[in-house]
Amino acid sequence: MKAIQTSQKSYQAAAYLGGSICHANDMEAKRKALYKEAQDYSTEVYGWYDDIEDFAEIFVNDRELDKLTGKDLIAMYMDALIGDFDTSEDVVKYYQDECDVFPGDPWEIGKEMEEAGDLLKIGDRWYWNL
């Protein structure tokens, strides 16, 4: 299902830019190559690779593909990643305990940050909206 959504998004972008299905296929191929490069870089440097495709589908648009390297994508991911938490309240509690920031009611602060778009949940992980 994800592949279909990505293809549709790329196709729509191509249609708006006066492109063609070839443009959509090219974008999909560029995304796959970027993800592979990011996987290779992360595995070599950090010894692990996380599933960043869902993250990249939201944070990387087709116009940026030619400008990004795998290293750039991993850096962007690492900067935005908060971690696995159930709720935005849990995220705020974590930062209150570990960093002594966000004084106040964690539930209220978490909801405000989530509604403002400062915190995003993708799958089971929370990210800063950089």
Side-chain angles (χ1 to χ4, degrees):
M1 185 67 171
K2 268 195 253 183
I4 292 171
Q5 290 172 343
T6 301
S7 295
Q8 287 174 340
K9 191 185 315 178
S10 296
Y11 176 76
Q12 288 169 346
Y16 294 132
L17 298 172
S20 64
I21 290 182
C22 293
H23 176 75
N25 291 337
D26 186 43
M27 290 296 110
E28 193 171 322
K30 285 181 180 182
R31 280 191 177 275
K32 286 181 181 180
L34 178 63
Y35 300 157
K36 174 69 172 128
E37 183 182 343
Q39 178 181 4
D40 292 346
Y41 173 80
S42 182
T43 302
E44 180 181 322
V45 174
Y46 300 109
W48 60 267
Y49 176 73
D50 207 355
D51 183 20
I52 63 166
E53 285 81 6
D54 289 341
F55 169 83
E57 284 180 21
I58 293 170
F59 284 93
V60 178
N61 66 45
D62 287 346
R63 290 175 289 199
E64 297 173 334
L65 285 178
D66 291 331
K67 300 173 190 169
L68 283 177
T69 65
K71 181 179 179 178
D72 296 334
L73 181 56
I74 292 298
M76 183 188 307
Y77 176 78
M78 297 292 283
D79 287 344
L81 178 66
I82 297 172
D84 296 346
F85 294 93
D86 290 328
T87 65
S88 57
E89 178 183 9
D90 294 334
V91 172
V92 172
K93 282 181 188 175
Y94 169 79
Y95 278 98
Q96 286 177 334
D97 294 343
E98 295 295 320
C99 306
D100 199 28
V101 295
F102 306 131
D105 177 28
W107 182 85
E108 188 176 308
I109 295 168
K111 286 297 167 200
E112 286 176 12
M113 293 178 81
E114 195 174 345
E115 288 171 4
D118 296 331
L119 295 175
L120 298 173
K121 187 171 187 179
I122 304 171
D124 294 333
R125 295 212 169 95
W126 285 89
Y127 299 89
W128 293 110
N129 187 5
L130 301 175

